[in-house]
Amino acid sequence: MTAARSLTVRCLAACLFVLSLPTAAADMRKTLHVVLQNGETVLDPAQASDTNTLSLIENIFDAPLRYDYLARPLALRPNLTTAMPTISADGKTYTLTLQHGIRFTPDPAFGGKSRELVATDLIYSMQRHYDPALKSPWLFLLDGKLAGDSELKQGTFDPMRPIAGLTALDSHTLRIVLDRPDNNFLYLLAMPALSVVAHETIAAHAPFPVGTGPYMLREWQRNSRLLLDANPDFRRTVFDDNTTGNPAIARALHDKSLPLIGHIDVRVLEEQQARVLAFLNHDIDYLEPVPAPLAGMVLEQGKLKPELSRQGITLALTPMMSLDYLWMNMEDPVLGGIGLPQIALRRAIGYSYDRAEDIRVLSKGLAIPAQSPLPPNVVGYDAALRSDAETNPALARALLDHFGYRDRDGDGWREQPDGSPLTLTMHTLASTTGRLRDELWRRSLSAIGIRVVFNSGKFTDLLKAARLGQVQMLEAEWIADFPDGENFYQLLYGPNAGSANRARFRLPAFDRLYEQAQQLPDSPARNLLYRDMNHLLQGYAPWVLRTHPVSADVQHPWLRNYQRHPVMLTTWRYLDLER
């Protein structure tokens, strides 16, 4: 059905290969200018969960595996390893052989020198996710999967406590043992969250992140600007990709050492208009995506404006493996719980939401309505599935009336069944986009007699409040960490409450289905479980499903080798400039 269905995880003979030798291939006369939509949080793979920060992390740090840049269907390949991991016949034991000579960038924690990456660094980096002080949002990737990991939760936390699931067989060989087979485990080894850090720099609270990636951080104006330099000690990485994903880019990159560009100038521009103007004024080299509410500045009837085409600017419309949704805090005294009145209130909120207006007015047509959490091209997506959460204000009002949410004092606003005031609080971004979305929700909820107030703030502040359970309801976007339905449904899995499961949704019936689905490969049987999980999601309504975005990406004519990747957040190491 999709390219992702036939995803291969073996490294093809003609794929990107790496040799552990330093390179000075990057042209230090060139600077790539890019923009982030929101400020970075903390440049730590175990703590960052927003795409803006992870975009930086995947360039400063390294995960054991990476996606091939051009391969379609998607393919994984070695990154820190000499080859793809070997997997035992029972699917539970993975053996990784690391390349020799990969080095962390110099840091005072290493006596001002660099240090070679070894197998125990991977053990430390994985096990520190279990540190209760970190509250890692990525703990779900490993928790309950690594053999013996329950020992990490006993007594005082020790990130190097020996467990059966992680063993350094020698300085460059790591054995990973799982309690049960995991069909998606190789994907996890390519995620920025499982990038490798050095225990010395973490213990020393190094002011700048220290990794082994293609770039290193040189200057850091928090939530404003970051300057990255090509890592002079980055292992020699020669591109030799003969896949048919994009032959022109493959030819342009053939036999070239990566990265190509010496400097990355990263600016944080939270206002949408500022990002578009930065592109039109040639201050940045590409923009992904063009903010949908401002698409008229760049697009005309779904195509690039002629005057921009004449400048050599090009447009690519890319369906995204992502979901836009509203989550509601299931621990909130007004919205939360699984009592029938609370379920009715949440479902009424969903019925009030006008998806058609959202797509037509705010998204400018650059989205499709979400029928389930799974976007097209994700393994497990069911094109025949239709959500029952359609826009239906009349049904919303009837539900509220039936369960006691009535206007008792005649002021036009409903009260709770016990007669107490009913006012919802939605946290939103303090930006033009946030204000436009506020107005859509205000109209939607007012139409069914519910008063809502908006608590606007910066993205980083909203994220922190959400982690602490201090948010009643919040719009969010989830971009696939790997192209499988499990990555979306884990957002509702009970044990992930408080981390990836921001809604704090806990339903034993859902959790059982999720755990059963984890045991199955992509199959009709697993798809039936996904369908049942979607029915429970719609029935208990901890979310309002919104849309799956279509990204309008534009680039200037001097940018070379650019192609949006379905999973990787950035492609900076492959890009080049001709100016």
Side-chain angles (χ1 to χ4, degrees):
M1 190 250 329
T2 67
R5 286 192 182 280
S6 56
L7 184 144
T8 176
V9 294
R10 66 183 184 277
C11 183
L12 305 176
C15 73
L16 185 69
F17 67 89
V18 290
L19 299 172
S20 299
L21 297 172
T23 178
D27 189 337
M28 305 307 289
R29 298 169 300 176
K30 295 180 179 180
T31 300
L32 179 71
H33 295 84
V34 299
V35 66
L36 296 180
Q37 298 180 19
N38 296 109
E40 75 287 352
T41 52
V42 55
L43 292 176
D44 180 347
Q47 298 185 71
S49 61
D50 61 290
T51 56
N52 300 280
T53 308
L54 292 173
S55 297
L56 300 164
I57 284 173
E58 73 177 10
N59 288 280
I60 297 171
F61 298 93
D62 272 313
L65 305 180
R66 280 188 64 82
Y67 286 91
D68 189 292
Y69 180 31
L70 301 177
R72 306 292 186 274
L74 298 178
L76 290 173
R77 60 169 179 78
N79 189 37
L80 296 177
T81 58
T82 60
M84 292 299 290
T86 60
I87 306 174
S88 62
D90 63 4
K92 295 195 293 186
T93 301
Y94 293 70
T95 304
L96 285 65
T97 302
L98 300 177
Q99 300 176 50
H100 286 262
I102 297 176
R103 306 191 71 81
F104 290 100
T105 54
D107 190 81
F110 308 135
K113 301 178 181 178
S114 62
R115 176 173 75 72
E116 186 177 15
L117 180 145
V118 292
T120 52
D121 292 316
L122 275 72
I123 293 176
Y124 171 78
S125 301
M126 290 185 185
Q127 293 191 176
R128 66 187 294 261
H129 285 274
Y130 292 81
D131 185 348
L134 284 185
K135 294 182 172 59
S136 171
W138 302 106
L139 177 58
F140 73 93
L141 297 175
L142 304 170
D143 193 18
K145 296 181 181 180
L146 297 178
D149 65 356
S150 60
E151 298 178 23
L152 295 171
K153 303 174 185 178
Q154 307 299 319
T156 302
F157 177 74
D158 178 0
M160 291 306 295
R161 178 178 294 174
I163 63 169
L166 292 171
T167 305
L169 302 181
D170 59 43
S171 63
H172 286 76
T173 308
L174 175 68
R175 183 178 65 201
I176 303 175
V177 180
L178 306 181
D179 274 333
R180 59 181 184 274
D182 183 341
N183 297 298
N184 290 317
F185 192 73
L186 286 177
Y187 289 135
L188 308 189
L189 296 178
M191 290 176 58
L194 294 190
S195 295
V196 184
V197 298
H199 68 90
E200 299 98 325
T201 61
I202 298 298
H205 302 287
F208 277 26
V210 178
T212 61
Y215 288 96
M216 52 193 295
L217 186 58
R218 172 165 56 92
E219 293 185 20
W220 189 359
Q221 301 171 30
R222 292 181 185 272
N223 297 316
S224 175
R225 194 171 193 174
L226 303 94
L227 299 178
L228 306 180
D229 290 343
N231 178 2
D233 290 326
F234 187 58
R235 59 194 176 279
R236 182 168 171 78
T237 305
V238 178
F239 193 94
D240 187 15
D241 186 347
N242 293 321
T243 65
T244 57
N246 191 316
I249 294 180
R251 288 192 297 270
L253 287 173
H254 182 69
D255 277 346
K256 289 189 176 178
S257 294
L258 305 177
L260 301 175
I261 294 175
H263 310 284
I264 312 289
D265 185 344
V266 184
R267 296 171 60 189
V268 177
L269 296 177
E270 296 189 350
E271 280 292 340
Q272 292 184 342
Q273 187 177 49
R275 296 199 294 274
V276 178
L277 291 176
F279 177 79
L280 296 177
N281 292 334
H282 301 178
D283 293 332
I284 57 176
D285 296 306
Y286 68 92
L287 178 61
E288 58 175 35
V290 174
L294 301 180
M297 297 178 67
V298 175
L299 305 181
E300 189 175 281
Q301 297 182 341
K303 297 182 180 180
L304 196 67
K305 284 187 172 182
E307 59 268 31
L308 298 182
S309 294
R310 287 192 291 270
Q311 297 177 32
I313 293 171
T314 54
L315 165 72
L317 295 176
T318 309
M320 298 299 294
M321 290 186 185
S322 65
L323 169 71
D324 289 335
Y325 63 105
L326 172 86
W327 58 260
M328 292 172 274
N329 188 343
M330 294 292 287
E331 295 176 354
D332 182 80
V334 175
L335 279 179
I338 58 174
L340 290 180
Q342 289 76 29
I343 293 174
L345 175 58
R346 293 194 300 270
R347 295 198 67 167
I349 291 170
Y351 287 132
S352 78
Y353 168 65
D354 193 337
R355 289 169 185 77
E357 182 180 4
D358 190 346
I359 293 173
R360 179 177 58 85
V361 177
L362 298 186
S363 298
K364 304 300 183 184
L366 296 173
I368 61 173
Q371 308 296 340
S372 83
L374 306 190
N377 299 319
V378 165
V379 178
Y381 170 73
D382 185 349
L385 194 62
R386 289 295 177 266
S387 168
D388 67 355
E390 60 186 17
T391 304
N392 194 333
L395 179 56
R397 288 190 287 267
L399 264 177
L400 294 170
D401 288 342
H402 182 76
F403 286 96
Y405 294 94
R406 298 188 180 94
D407 177 12
R408 291 174 171 79
D409 56 12
D411 66 351
W413 302 108
R414 297 177 186 270
E415 281 76 44
Q416 297 188 58
D418 63 3
S420 59
L422 174 61
T423 299
L424 302 181
T425 301
M426 184 178 295
H427 281 65
T428 63
L429 283 173
S431 64
T432 301
T433 304
R435 290 186 288 273
L436 291 171
R437 301 212 57 80
D438 293 352
E439 184 55 34
L440 174 62
W441 275 110
R442 191 191 310 276
R443 291 198 305 271
S444 296
L445 292 172
S446 295
I448 63 172
I450 293 180
R451 191 198 313 267
V452 60
V453 297
F454 299 94
N455 188 341
S456 299
K458 293 179 69 66
F459 175 78
T460 50
D461 295 334
L462 297 181
L463 196 61
K464 180 179 179 181
R467 288 175 178 168
L468 296 174
Q470 298 172 350
V471 172
Q472 188 179 61
M473 51 201 304
L474 177 68
E475 286 190 339
E477 178 184 21
W478 185 262
I479 300 174
D481 299 308
F482 53 87
D484 190 273
E486 178 191 334
N487 189 236
F488 288 82
Y489 279 114
Q490 60 85 21
L491 298 172
L492 293 157
Y493 183 50
N496 293 343
S499 56
N501 181 353
R502 297 280 165 74
R504 288 170 160 77
F505 180 60
R506 295 178 177 90
L507 187 70
F510 184 95
D511 294 347
R512 284 193 295 271
L513 292 172
Y514 177 82
E515 290 163 1
Q516 292 171 29
Q518 275 191 308
Q519 307 307 308
L520 298 176
D522 176 33
S523 61
R526 191 179 73 157
N527 289 346
L528 287 175
L529 295 175
Y530 283 170
R531 181 179 284 257
D532 289 343
M533 291 157 69
N534 188 50
H535 288 160
L536 290 174
L537 163 62
Q538 294 186 36
Y540 286 89
W543 288 1
V544 176
L545 293 171
R546 291 179 46 224
T547 60
H548 301 302
V550 175
S551 183
D553 309 322
V554 287
Q555 68 174 93
H556 283 296
W558 53 78
L559 183 66
R560 294 290 181 264
N561 311 328
Y562 172 79
Q563 178 173 284
R564 187 76 176 265
H565 191 274
V567 177
M568 287 193 303
L569 299 171
T570 65
T571 57
W572 297 342
R573 70 189 68 192
Y574 305 102
L575 303 182
D576 201 358
L577 297 167
E578 285 196 7
R579 63 170 177 178

